[in-house]
Amino acid sequence: MDARSASRELDVIQSSFPGNNATELKGLFKIGDNGVDFSAINEKDFGHAIKGLSDDEQALAYGYYSLINSTTRNTVEVVTPTERYSRQAATTIFHIPNTWTRDILPTATGKDVDYVGGGGLNWSVFGQNHDLIGRFSIFVINSGQTTGDYQTSAIAGSALHLISSGGETSAHEVIGHGLGRLSSSPTWSHEDAIQLSNLYRRINVSVPSNIDWRNGTDHSSNIAIPYDKANGIPDYIRQGLFNFKLGQALLGN
Amino acid sequence: MLINKLLLAQAIESKVNFQIDKIVTTATASTEYVASFYSKDEIYIICRTKDSLYVTSYLPTAGDKVYDVNTVLIGKDTLFLNTIDSLYHNAKEAYEYRLYSKNAVTSRNFLLTFNKDNSIGVFYKDLATSKDLDKISRIINRLDLYMIRPLSGPSRGIKALKIENWDELLGYLMAFNYKRR
């Protein structure tokens, strides 16, 4: 989107991989000379960098790798609750149906994203021919907005209301909804995004017994997703990563 | 792998053509027009009756299974209603349309069809003026806005439907029209 968002998204992505063995991978995520676009990642370098990472880390890394190397146009804007968002985002946010009234007007700041999107939104970008050419994501860092479908045991019960971190929201919006939609995933609108939230949390919550997982009852269709499915990995990542690793093995890398 | 992917894409496209044709040709007399938009494996069907307009979106497959079926009843969204209604009226009144045939669906991602003298008229982008194309852009962008899924909290108007196969979906679309008669 702009240099500020690029720098924040870079930090969000790199911070999503906390282990020491991810140093090489983090180094592959870079912003190009124009200060805005991420640089394409070399296949062989990526294949080398993910060796030794857990399955979950590899899956999340592959999601970002796929988007960065994609020919589609994916824009990410990152704001705080008090910062103004871009005019490009405003043209969508101001016009989201059934949202704004005389009493509740948009402020053109991150507060709107909290209000409309619970901290994050993602929509399609169409080209001149009306073909889908990319996705636009916006999310709030330091959001005060809670999400009310975090479960504390495998059998869903009374939910916790927690605030999603920037890393979790990025995984949810940019990969779950964004890459999911661009990959024509049949479950992009709900399941994939919830799976990406949970994938991020499995990597980043340090005490495994304290991992809370989202079951999707406070998202999209509000359909409850059972534990095993909510903690799965979308097909376009699982299958894509498998094909990638197979390809690398066949090349002798 | 690439060949498999291409074959699957072709199979889905052929299914999409079949399904849109079926929807267009079985629309009831109470339907003023049906517009369809297809983009990267997502279909939007816009049905306009005299007193309402509703949108149904879904993801087709190469078989009879359908995914992610949602519906939106457009109520007071005059911006959307006026834009698509004017596209329809212009097409019909200015004779910017052709008689519908199955071929009209092929390779066209936007169609607007309506009853005209006991046959079906069809308007598509090849017949559109630059003003029409602007309207189509606005319609498509607006459809996408309805489909936004927030990180948490309610969606802004869409209702998820528990429909998982094509016959059931077609039945739903047709029943809706009958109810509105």
Side-chain angles (χ1 to χ4, degrees), chain A residues 92 95 97-99 115-118 120-121 123-124 126 129-132 147 172-173 181-182 184 186 188-189 214 218-221 243, chain B residues 1 37 39-42 59 67-68 77 109 125 133 136-137 140-142 144-157 160:
Chain A
T92 293
H95 297 106
N98 309 318
T99 301
Y115 173 68
V116 187
L121 291 165
W123 58 84
S124 294
F126 296 100
N129 220 6
H130 306 114
D131 294 324
L132 179 61
T147 296
H172 177 104
E173 298 294 344
R181 177 68 189 93
L182 294 167
S184 300
W188 72 272
S189 69
R214 290 191 69 179
D218 190 19
H219 178 256
S220 189
S221 57
N243 292 343
Chain B
M1 265 183 292
F37 173 59
S39 173
K40 212 159 171 67
D41 298 350
E42 187 157 51
L59 292 146
Y67 286 99
D68 203 23
D77 190 345
N109 66 0
K125 287 197 284 188
L133 289 173
I136 294 171
S137 293
I140 290 167
N141 284 323
R142 194 89 189 132
D144 189 64
L145 293 191
Y146 274 100
M147 299 300 153
I148 285 180
R149 274 68 169 194
L151 177 72
S152 66
S155 295
R156 300 283 159 174

Side-chain angles (χ1 to χ4, degrees), chain A:
Chain A
M1 179 68 233
D2 53 25
R4 183 179 72 185
S5 287
S7 160
R8 285 175 175 170
E9 180 64 354
L10 177 65
D11 184 50
V12 159
I13 294 174
Q14 289 180 329
S15 305
S16 300
F17 302 95
N20 289 334
N21 53 355
T23 309
E24 191 182 337
L25 173 71
K26 288 182 194 180
L28 295 179
F29 297 116
K30 287 177 194 158
I31 298 169
D33 293 338
N34 66 4
V36 176
D37 293 326
F38 277 66
S39 304
I41 299 170
N42 176 277
E43 264 185 53
K44 192 176 171 185
D45 292 345
F46 180 74
H48 191 264
I50 59 169
K51 280 180 185 164
L53 299 184
S54 70
D55 289 349
D56 282 342
E57 287 169 321
Q58 288 188 4
L60 186 62
Y62 182 76
Y64 282 119
Y65 163 83
S66 301
L67 270 173
I68 290 167
N69 281 15
S70 162
T71 53
T72 55
R73 184 80 189 157
N74 296 287
T75 306
V76 181
E77 184 164 358
V78 188
V79 291
T80 67
T82 54
E83 284 171 352
R84 291 179 75 85
Y85 47 74
S86 64
R87 189 173 288 186
Q88 198 182 345
T91 56
T92 293
I93 294 170
F94 282 23
H95 297 106
I96 294 176
N98 309 318
T99 301
W100 308 111
T101 64
R102 273 186 208 166
D103 298 328
I104 306 169
L105 291 167
T107 60
T109 66
K111 275 182 199 158
D112 296 346
V113 183
D114 274 350
Y115 173 68
V116 187
L121 291 165
N122 179 284
W123 58 84
S124 294
V125 178
F126 296 100
Q128 283 194 324
N129 220 6
H130 306 114
D131 294 324
L132 179 61
I133 57 167
R135 297 285 292 185
F136 191 110
S137 300
I138 184 167
F139 65 88
V140 180
I141 45 171
N142 305 323
S143 168
Q145 192 68 33
T146 59
T147 296
D149 60 8
Y150 288 95
Q151 307 296 319
T152 53
S153 62
I155 297 168
S158 54
L160 294 178
H161 290 252
L162 300 175
I163 296 171
S164 299
S165 66
E168 182 179 335
T169 309
S170 174
H172 177 104
E173 298 294 344
V174 181
I175 304 177
H177 285 306
L179 183 61
R181 177 68 189 93
L182 294 167
S183 305
S184 300
S185 168
T187 44
W188 72 272
S189 69
H190 187 46
E191 215 171 275
D192 297 353
I194 293 297
Q195 287 182 338
L196 261 295
S197 287
N198 292 331
L199 173 64
Y200 174 88
R201 293 183 71 79
R202 289 199 302 277
I203 297 169
N204 284 280
V205 179
S206 55
V207 184
S209 60
N210 286 348
I211 292 176
D212 309 300
W213 61 284
R214 290 191 69 179
N215 76 339
T217 48
D218 190 19
H219 178 256
S220 189
S221 57
N222 303 123
I223 293 170
I225 308 169
Y227 177 85
D228 286 346
K229 202 174 247 189
N231 281 284
I233 289 170
D235 276 351
Y236 55 88
I237 293 181
R238 200 173 38 78
Q239 193 62 47
L241 180 59
F242 174 81
N243 292 343
F244 174 85
K245 285 159 94 171
L246 183 65
Q248 288 295 299
L250 290 171
L251 289 169
N253 296 331

Side-chain angles (χ1 to χ4, degrees), chain B:
Chain B
M1 265 183 292
L2 191 63
I3 292 171
N4 279 347
K5 246 185 168 176
L6 284 173
L7 288 174
L8 180 65
Q10 278 175 2
I12 292 175
E13 187 143 350
S14 151
K15 194 56 111 175
V16 168
N17 293 345
F18 166 81
Q19 291 179 350
I20 291 177
D21 175 67
K22 194 80 182 167
I23 291 167
V24 167
T25 53
T26 51
T28 60
S30 64
T31 306
E32 269 194 74
Y33 60 82
V34 175
S36 63
F37 173 59
Y38 170 57
S39 173
K40 212 159 171 67
D41 298 350
E42 187 157 51
I43 299 179
Y44 294 90
I45 303 293
I46 303 166
C47 283
R48 179 62 151 137
T49 59
K50 197 180 169 190
D51 55 359
S52 70
L53 184 145
Y54 68 100
V55 179
T56 306
S57 71
Y58 70 99
L59 292 146
T61 61
D64 284 336
K65 202 164 170 54
V66 291
Y67 286 99
D68 203 23
V69 183
N70 293 285
T71 189
V72 185
L73 180 63
I74 310 285
K76 294 172 185 167
D77 190 345
T78 47
L79 185 73
F80 186 86
L81 293 172
N82 290 344
T83 306
I84 193 157
D85 281 351
S86 73
L87 191 69
Y88 158 67
H89 289 300
N90 286 352
K92 197 170 178 183
E93 285 157 21
Y95 292 94
E96 288 172 341
Y97 65 89
R98 298 280 183 272
L99 283 181
Y100 178 81
S101 74
K102 260 187 183 179
N103 291 338
V105 184
T106 312
S107 303
R108 292 198 171 99
N109 66 0
F110 181 88
L111 292 182
L112 193 147
T113 59
F114 46 86
N115 290 321
K116 178 75 181 173
D117 303 330
N118 294 325
S119 55
I120 302 172
V122 61
F123 167 79
Y124 38 75
K125 287 197 284 188
D126 318 37
L127 305 169
T129 62
S130 60
K131 274 189 179 174
D132 293 335
L133 289 173
D134 281 349
K135 284 177 190 168
I136 294 171
S137 293
R138 272 184 270 151
I139 291 163
I140 290 167
N141 284 323
R142 194 89 189 132
L143 289 176
D144 189 64
L145 293 191
Y146 274 100
M147 299 300 153
I148 285 180
R149 274 68 169 194
L151 177 72
S152 66
S155 295
R156 300 283 159 174
I158 59 168
K159 187 180 158 197
L161 299 175
K162 286 181 182 168
I163 290 177
E164 292 179 347
N165 71 68
W166 160 244
D167 287 335
E168 206 183 335
L169 176 60
L170 184 65
Y172 166 80
L173 289 169
M174 293 306 108
F176 197 100
N177 284 345
Y178 285 120
K179 262 189 245 167
R180 297 276 155 187
R181 266 185 163 172

